[in-house]
Structure formats: structure tokens, C-alpha cells
Amino acid sequence: MIIVIDFGSQYTHLISRRVRELGVKSEIIFPFTELDAIKKMNPDGIILSGGPNSVYDKDAPHLNNDIWNWILEEDIPVLGLCYGLHLIAKRFNGEIGKSKRREYGVTSVTIKKSDRIFEGLEKKQRVWMSHGDKVLKLPENFEILASSENCRFASFRYKNIYALQWHPEVVHTENGMKMLNNFLFKICRCEKDWDMEDFMKKTIGDIRKKIGDKKAIIALSGGVDSSIAAVLTSRAIGKNLTAVFVDTGLLRKNEGEHVEKICKEFKLKFLKIDAKDRFFEKLKGVKDTEMKRKIIGEEFIRIFEKEAKKENAEFLIQGTIYPDVIESGSKTADTIKSHHNVGGLPENVDLEIIEPLSYLYKDEVREIGKKLGIPNEIINQHPFPGPGLAVRITGEVNEENIKICREASYILEEELKKAGVFYDLWQAFAVVLEDRVVGVVGDQRKYGRIVALRIVESKDAMTANFAKLNWNLLEEISTKITNELPEVVSVAYFISNKPPQTIEPC
Ligand code: XMP
């Protein structure tokens, strides 16, 4: 397996996914991870990610010397990318400084020395760079492998420690995958054994071993992750799993039907709880979205505990996936949002939590879903947040706001499906804003509601771009929303990418 150490780059997940695409298990850890924990992972190689800092910054993250010494003693291959390259240079007493020109975008580099990392590649390579600092003096004993016009030390190496100033993980580096492939198989001598079929079988076995004859419950929301986690777990423990569908009143249109369909088709034991009133009551007057998340998380788990007691369940299965785990686990990064299924959970939960998908990225989860025979319309649904429509309403969560949010999202989804673009998008939904604007209805002025559309393309939700949809399609959607929802007089479109805006508005 390969360890990716996250120094704060927006591409850390991308690096990890690329490694898995090449058939090797990868895990992300943070620079403060203890050496013992790293040793236990028994990595074949380590990748140091990029990051926003300069290595001389006061609070810049570093890899501690214990780890470096162990790497050198054991001769563990290392690949430092961008900031990772600067870290290598600093550790071995090179010199790093501000580059006169910030290199950003596609750049041509020349390979100066043939090496395993560039095996099979031409001398000139188009690579993607994004750096303000560069190495000014190469550490002793290192040799230059590649240079660009502005960066003489664009790639260098000492034994099995490799450094690239560019990002092989992004698609703009034409042969980035080949470089990673060479690192994994020629330098680290990894085996290609990251395979979803194996993962599925192993997970089913692990769940069976852990739960045995005891009972478990799962919150089935109808979304991709919980549906797949439920079916996977039921393969392991059959009727000892109860799927609990809590109708929070904050779900998408038709979500309940999806849940029933899955349960019937896969013979899941199934319990439906109508908790709408309870959620609306608790959320009355609350506008702060972190508050909403906490309240929903807390209510949810309390309902669960009660049902679990009735069922005598000792385990709670959750559909948490890898990016949520990493985003919540980073002590160096600011808390961006407390994810409902991780950070939002109250601390004193009575059930033991099992998260069978917590190692997987979304595309991997979908692959498992396919192998389990789950229908495409469920597997290919857009992701939906645990706290539901509540985080798509900037004001209070009440019946009216939820109705507008749910109906407008449904109209949007249907229109995008008709236009044949829905499944190419990462997410597309409506947001209900608290402000009102003037509209004209009949001959009268009316302060009406605003629905803002968030429609994004993304690979893994860590970054996202707003979708450049056809104007006529957007106009049709807007007209349909204002026609069918008389409260709404205005439809807006978020034209910001992530970063700086997140995908969910709240
Ligand atoms: P953001 O808004 O952080 O979203 O750009 C990234 C991905 O995570 C989903 N998301 C959530 N999922 N609970 C969840 O289970 C949450 O509180 C939550 N907030 C965001 C979001 O839909 C997107 O796919």
C-alpha cells in the first residue's frame, strides 16, 4: 500500500484516487501521525502531497525526523510533489526561495537523465505546475532529473527519494499517470491488488466476524451510500440487520419509495418511522446551519438508539465514505463543516458504529453497488447530505421552505434528466434563500421567494466547478419553477466554483 501524507493540498484526495485507479491501496494520513502508526501500515512507498505553505513559514507542516530516519533506514521510496519536493530539499539541506515568476499552468519540462520514474516517456513533457517557491540550491548527493525554463531543479532524486515540482495527479500533466505508474510498480514494486470484488468479499467477512449473531441497524435514507452499505451488510448478517428509515421530513421527493423498493428487492428487514413533526419542532427558529446539523445529528441518533433498544441492536451501520472521514479527521485543517455522519454525532452514542464504506471513494462505492446488483437509478443518484434539505435553506426550516426546496429540486432534476445531462453532473439542486425580492404577479407587485440553483461538476467533491449549462435550458428550468411554485418570483444561479464556495450552500 501507499501512504499519501497530506500537507494541505487540494489535490491530496486526487493523488490517493489515482493510486487506487492504478490498482494499489492508498491511505491518506496527516503529518502529525506517529511513526508507530505508520510502521503498522507497512507502506511500500510514501507520497508527500503539495500544500499552500512555504517550508520556512512559522507554522508550516513538516515530517518529523523520526519518520525521515526510518524512511532512510528502511529505504522506503518517497515521492514529493510540489511542497513535498520543497520538504525533501529542506530536509537534506538544500535551499528554497521565492521564484521570480510564479509558475502556474501547463509548462514544458525537459528530462535530463533517464530514470525509472520517466521510463517510456519522451524527453519533453507537458506538466502542470502551481508554485511560488522553488529550490535554489540542490541538496548534496541529489541528481537533477528534469528542468523547466524557470525551474532548474524541477525534478531530482537521491536513492529512492524522488521529487517532482509538478503535479502528476492532475489530468493536465499529460503523462502523469505513467509517472505515478512507474513510481508504484518500478520503484516501490507494489502489487496490483486493490480490487473492489476482493474488497467486497473481505468487508462482508469482516462484518460477519465482528457482529456475529448480534443485531445491527442502519439508517436507510435512500441515498447511494446508505443503500449500498445496507445491502452489503445484509449480505453479511441477513435478517440480523434492520434497516430503519427515519422520515425526517427533510428528504428528497420520492426518497421513501426508493427505500421501500430497495428493501423489497433485497429482502431487507425494514422499519419506517415518521419523525417529521419532531424534527420541525426542534428546528423551529434555527437559522445557523452548524446548529441545524448538530440538532439533526442528535435527534437522528436518539431516534436510532430507541429503535435499536427495541431491536436489541448493538451495532449501528453508517454509509460514511472516505472523503468525509479525512475531512473530519484533519486536525490541521479548519473545520469546514461538521459532517452529519461523522462530526455532527453526539459523543455519547450507545451503539458501536461500523462504517463499511469508510475506505472508499464515491466511484468505488458505486462499483460495489453495481456488483451487488443495485439498480442504476439508485447507484447513480446525486449525493445528498445527511442533514437533508435543511442545509439547503438559508433561513428557518419550516414546511413552506422545505416544500419549495423539495419541489424546485425535483423540477430541476427532471428537466436535467430530460435534457440528458443529469448523470454527467456531480450534483444539481435548489437552495431556498431567506431574502425576498420584488416580483410582478398579475399586475401586482409581490415580495416573493428566491430559489438559487447549485449545479456542479466534480470528480470527488473536494473541488467543483459550476456547470456551464445552455442558457435556454436554464431559462426553461427557471420558468418551470416560477410557474409551478407561485411563491417563487426569482431563480438565481450560483456561478462560483469550489473553492471558494462549498457545494452545499450552508
Ligand atoms: P461541500 O458542501 O462541503 O460538500 O462542498 C462536499 C460533498 O459533501 C456533501 N455534504 C454533506 N454530506 N453531511 C453529509 O452527509 C453534510 O453535512 C454534508 N455537507 C455537504 C455535499 O453534498 C457534497 O457532495
Side-chain angles (χ1 to χ4, degrees):
M1 64 86 62
I2 293 288
I3 287 180
V4 180
I5 305 187
D6 180 17
F7 291 96
S9 166
Q10 54 172 322
Y11 298 126
T12 303
H13 277 286
L14 200 53
I15 301 169
S16 159
R17 283 186 52 227
R18 295 284 186 244
V19 172
R20 292 182 185 199
E21 275 169 39
L22 290 165
V24 176
K25 181 179 177 189
S26 68
E27 275 189 54
I28 296 172
I29 62 168
F30 298 103
F32 48 75
T33 308
E34 302 280 334
L35 174 60
D36 275 349
I38 297 181
K39 280 185 183 167
K40 275 198 195 115
M41 296 166 95
N42 195 19
D44 296 304
I46 295 179
I47 300 181
L48 311 178
S49 83
N53 295 82
S54 281
V55 282
Y56 298 118
D57 285 352
K58 205 167 104 268
D59 297 323
H62 286 274
L63 201 56
N64 75 45
N65 241 335
D66 286 358
I67 300 177
W68 271 121
N69 291 340
W70 173 73
I71 286 172
L72 290 168
E73 270 163 34
E74 298 290 324
D75 193 23
I76 310 274
V78 172
L79 178 63
L81 307 176
C82 199
Y83 181 77
L85 167 142
H86 302 151
L87 281 176
I88 293 174
K90 179 151 187 297
R91 166 63 179 72
F92 293 94
N93 303 320
E95 212 178 285
I96 300 103
K98 286 262 164 279
S99 180
K100 273 201 200 97
R101 281 182 45 198
R102 193 166 183 273
E103 253 179 322
Y104 184 85
V106 176
T107 310
S108 170
V109 292
T110 307
I111 296 173
K112 299 279 183 191
K113 181 146 199 304
S114 64
D115 186 283
R116 288 173 298 172
I117 191 125
F118 300 131
E119 211 172 291
L121 301 182
E122 308 268 319
K123 265 199 159 6
K124 289 260 180 234
Q125 290 295 318
R126 288 166 65 75
V127 301
W128 201 81
M129 300 240 206
S130 167
H131 65 116
D133 286 0
K134 68 177 179 184
V135 171
L136 305 175
K137 193 178 135 244
L138 195 66
E140 241 175 75
N141 299 326
F142 276 72
E143 56 183 342
I144 303 176
L145 299 182
S147 305
S148 74
E149 200 184 314
N150 290 304
C151 185
R152 189 167 158 229
F153 310 118
S155 171
F156 46 83
R157 162 197 161 190
Y158 165 65
K159 294 189 172 168
N160 278 326
I161 299 180
Y162 284 81
L164 305 179
Q165 181 62 75
W166 61 87
H167 291 271
E169 70 277 17
V170 306
V171 284
H172 313 292
T173 297
E174 271 170 7
N175 290 309
M177 281 302 256
K178 285 197 183 140
M179 295 168 192
L180 289 175
N181 191 75
N182 286 342
F183 179 68
L184 297 183
F185 300 108
K186 305 242 149 64
I187 298 163
C188 300
R189 309 208 170 276
C190 289
E191 274 174 36
K192 237 187 188 140
D193 58 4
W194 181 248
D195 172 84
M196 284 305 108
E197 186 77 34
D198 292 350
F199 180 89
M200 193 170 91
K201 285 187 190 143
K202 185 175 177 303
T203 307
I204 292 174
D206 289 350
I207 297 175
R208 198 175 284 146
K209 212 155 88 200
K210 178 140 202 191
I211 303 183
D213 288 334
K214 295 182 184 145
K215 298 207 161 162
I217 56 172
I218 181 165
L220 196 54
S221 67
V224 184
D225 305 335
S226 71
S227 303
I228 295 175
V231 176
L232 190 67
T233 309
S234 89
R235 283 275 175 92
I237 60 165
K239 293 286 176 212
N240 280 339
L241 175 72
T242 304
V244 181
F245 169 44
V246 180
D247 188 352
T248 57
L250 308 170
L251 297 172
R252 285 175 285 197
K253 198 162 164 158
N254 300 336
E255 206 128 53
E257 285 164 28
H258 274 158
V259 174
E260 294 195 28
K261 189 171 162 189
I262 292 242
C263 290
K264 280 195 191 122
E265 207 166 319
F266 291 89
K267 301 191 173 58
L268 296 179
K269 199 168 138 201
F270 164 61
L271 197 70
K272 181 174 173 178
I273 297 159
D274 184 352
K276 276 191 221 103
D277 295 346
R278 196 166 156 174
F279 278 89
F280 280 121
E281 188 53 39
K282 289 271 177 187
L283 288 165
K284 214 179 225 165
V286 179
K287 292 185 180 174
D288 177 79
T289 42
E290 281 302 286
M291 251 330 248
K292 289 179 193 167
R293 280 189 159 81
K294 295 269 185 252
I295 291 172
I296 294 166
E298 175 112 26
E299 264 322 277
F300 209 79
I301 202 79
R302 295 296 158 236
I303 292 177
F304 253 65
E305 278 174 340
K306 204 166 133 214
E307 293 311 315
K309 279 211 179 92
K310 285 193 218 152
E311 293 287 313
N312 280 327
E314 289 177 38
F315 296 90
L316 171 62
I317 313 294
Q318 292 215 307
T320 318
I321 67 169
Y322 200 51
D324 303 341
V325 175
I326 298 301
E327 206 170 310
S328 299
S330 161
K331 288 191 203 147
T332 47
D334 291 335
T335 305
I336 300 175
K337 280 171 191 172
S338 55
H339 275 262
H340 160 57
N341 29 6
V342 189
L345 278 181
E347 271 164 21
N348 53 339
V349 182
D350 279 350
L351 298 161
E352 187 173 342
I353 293 176
I354 298 183
E355 296 172 321
L357 308 176
S358 64
Y359 271 115
L360 304 182
Y361 286 103
K362 200 86 184 179
D363 47 345
E364 295 171 324
V365 171
R366 289 192 162 122
E367 209 181 314
I368 299 245
K370 272 198 201 122
K371 290 189 189 300
L372 290 166
I374 297 175
N376 276 341
E377 77 211 54
I378 289 165
I379 292 179
N380 294 327
Q381 279 179 87
H382 287 174
F384 187 62
L389 300 178
V391 293
R392 294 175 176 177
I393 290 167
T394 60
E396 188 194 41
V397 178
N398 55 35
E399 299 269 3
E400 175 179 312
N401 285 343
I402 287 288
K403 188 198 104 190
I404 296 174
C405 190
R406 178 180 289 137
E407 294 300 325
S409 285
Y410 181 71
I411 294 169
L412 173 63
E413 283 203 11
E414 289 304 293
E415 292 304 306
L416 294 174
K417 280 180 190 162
K418 264 195 249 161
V421 295
F422 182 80
Y423 293 108
D424 298 332
L425 298 163
W426 176 265
Q427 273 172 294
F429 55 83
V431 178
V432 178
L433 304 186
E434 205 184 355
D435 281 339
R436 285 169 193 258
V437 287
V438 180
V440 192
V441 180
D443 285 333
Q444 300 223 314
R445 282 161 69 86
K446 167 182 166 186
Y447 264 117
R449 309 302 306 267
I450 311 168
V451 160
L453 306 179
R454 185 73 171 138
I455 310 177
V456 295
E457 290 168 344
S458 174
K459 283 237 172 290
D460 52 16
M462 300 309 288
T463 60
N465 290 336
F466 79 89
K468 281 90 185 164
L469 293 181
N470 177 298
W471 285 113
N472 293 334
L473 176 59
L474 284 171
E475 186 179 24
E476 269 170 40
I477 293 165
S478 159
T479 309
K480 196 140 194 205
I481 291 174
T482 47
N483 280 348
E484 293 192 13
L485 298 168
E487 308 86 333
V488 181
V489 297
S490 167
V491 176
Y493 192 29
F494 286 108
I495 52 169
S496 297
N497 298 332
K498 173 183 180 175
Q501 192 184 343
T502 52
I503 297 177
E504 300 293 341
C506 317

